[in-house]
Amino acid sequence: MKAIIIGAGMGGLSAAIALKQAGFETEVYEQVTENKPVGAAISVWSNGVKCMNYLGLHEQMVKLGGVMDSMAYVDGLTGEGMCQFSLAPLIEQVGQRPFPVARAELQLMLMQEYGIDEIHFGMRMVDIADDGSQVTATFADGSTATGDLLIGADGAKSMTRDYVLGAPTQRRYAGYVNWNGLVPVNTDFGPADQWTTYVGEGKRVSVMPVSEGRFYFFFDVPLPAGLDYDRASAKEVLAEHFGHWAPGVQSLISTLDPMTTNRVEIFDVEPFHTWTKGRVTLVGDAGHNTTPDIGQGGCSAMEDAIALSIALRVNTLGVEDALKRYEKKRTERAGDLVLRARKRCDVTHAKDPAATQAWYDELRCEDGTGIVRGIVSNIEGNPLD
Ligand code: FAD
């Protein structure tokens, strides 16, 4: 059985590793010519880490991951603590520590694990043809690849999704812009082992530990889409939005390197429940593009990869049947996480200012129980619980 995998992001690579380990023949095609992911880091929550563990990559995750023992919210304007609590109850409830990791390092680790020399880089798929017994991808250079199934792990702007749904999908602008990057740990921003988030005015500034004494940082600002931006101006633009915020935030702005700071307009896609057509299926953002507000997009992609490999291994009525069973297992949970993230996004970014103020008020009374319960509920229901 041969699987053609389109996209070497975390979804495609996780699927490729899982299927290779299960004895499938796999071919991975990626449009870019090198490992240069957009975005500095991601938080791999416990469900994502469990998927990596399932693939035998636990030690690698421990090496790449930051030690995040506690969580805190701070009033962005005054610097006054709103709540601070341990993440130990979360880890105990779900059975696995989460690991924030530098994105490029996670990608590289997955590529190496699969076999970096085996990945076909610089190959942009432009067409899919399924004749009922085999499926063929055509690439921009005119070459083709044929297999028993095709896995579209081609991300948020997936062309495989358009093929499966029979029409282009409209992405929805979530209403905010995110700047992110990596800086050396500095306790001016927050303790080295803590996820610290400053909130106020519907905006957010956050630092989270990744390995080797670095913080992943991000800034969120509600803004229209499509504004002009010059990367070199990151500090000035952030100072415009946060110049009146607490000293920790000023210190972060003065530390960051504008040239390695990413700026991303945040979109999502309304959940849909058809991921499979014949011998073609979707994995990752192609099937469930979410806002990053609960940090679950990449984790869901990893869950897809594991669920897909299990479906293909345990069902014997053929590829099309196995893909339908995979779809049935995954679409509801993945879609639910997209909607949870959207809800969180709207509260965090002051879509309704009264609801956001109520959330700020709640944070001042929070002992961690409610927040941990919320994170646990995102993690639970994964294929490896
Ligand atoms: P991608 O990583 O987008 O990979 C798709 C790949 O397909 C790309 O390499 C692309 O070049 C390739 N490709 C596309 N089209 C073609 C084609 N036609 N032919 C060949 N190749 C093609 N998730 C978390 O779990 N935790 C977080 O903390 C988190 N934080 C985030 C913060 C931000 C600001 C953003 C934007 C997202 C965040 N996410 C997070 C979500 C996460 O980044 C995505 O869900 C994840 O990258 C999806 O992986 P993927 O493999 O499906 O897609």
Side-chain angles (χ1 to χ4, degrees), residues 10 14 17 41-68 96-103 105-110 113 209-212 214 298-299 302:
M10 59 194 83
S14 300
I17 295 167
I42 74 163
S43 174
V44 184
W45 286 100
S46 313
N47 49 326
V49 179
K50 285 186 187 190
C51 294
M52 296 295 100
N53 296 348
Y54 184 82
L55 298 178
L57 304 175
H58 180 68
E59 292 310 316
Q60 288 88 327
M61 290 303 289
V62 171
K63 197 165 156 225
L64 298 182
V67 176
M68 187 166 75
Q96 173 60 56
R97 171 181 279 282
F99 286 122
V101 295
R103 194 183 274 261
E105 292 165 14
L106 175 67
Q107 283 288 120
L108 182 63
M109 182 274 282
L110 291 170
E113 194 60 32
V210 300
S211 65
E212 296 178 13
R214 296 167 296 173
C299 298
M302 294 169 183

Side-chain angles (χ1 to χ4, degrees), residues 6-13 29-32 38-39 41-45 103 107 123-126 139 153-159 176 178 180 208 216 218 264-266 283-286 288-292 294-302:
I6 306 299
M10 59 194 83
L13 288 168
Y29 293 87
E30 167 55 54
Q31 65 182 1
V32 304
V38 179
I42 74 163
S43 174
V44 184
W45 286 100
R103 194 183 274 261
Q107 283 288 120
M123 298 292 282
R124 184 168 62 85
M125 183 178 70
V126 294
F139 299 96
D154 47 350
K157 296 177 186 165
S158 168
M159 75 151 281
Y176 77 96
N178 170 284
N180 64 70
M208 189 181 263
Y216 164 42
F218 62 83
V264 199
E265 293 179 344
I266 302 298
V283 155
D285 280 9
H288 45 80
N289 185 195
T290 176
T291 69
I294 57 171
Q296 280 290 346
C299 298
S300 278
M302 294 169 183

Side-chain angles (χ1 to χ4, degrees), residues 169-176 266-272 288-296 334-352 378:
T169 309
Q170 208 55 32
R171 294 173 77 214
R172 184 198 71 108
Y173 181 53
Y176 77 96
I266 302 298
F267 287 80
D268 69 7
V269 169
E270 189 64 27
F272 55 96
H288 45 80
N289 185 195
T290 176
T291 69
D293 292 79
I294 57 171
Q296 280 290 346
D336 181 47
L337 290 173
V338 171
L339 296 179
R340 283 177 183 220
R342 188 182 285 182
K343 205 166 159 191
R344 189 72 264 139
C345 165
D346 289 349
V347 172
T348 304
H349 302 104
K351 193 164 186 193
D352 168 3
N378 297 335

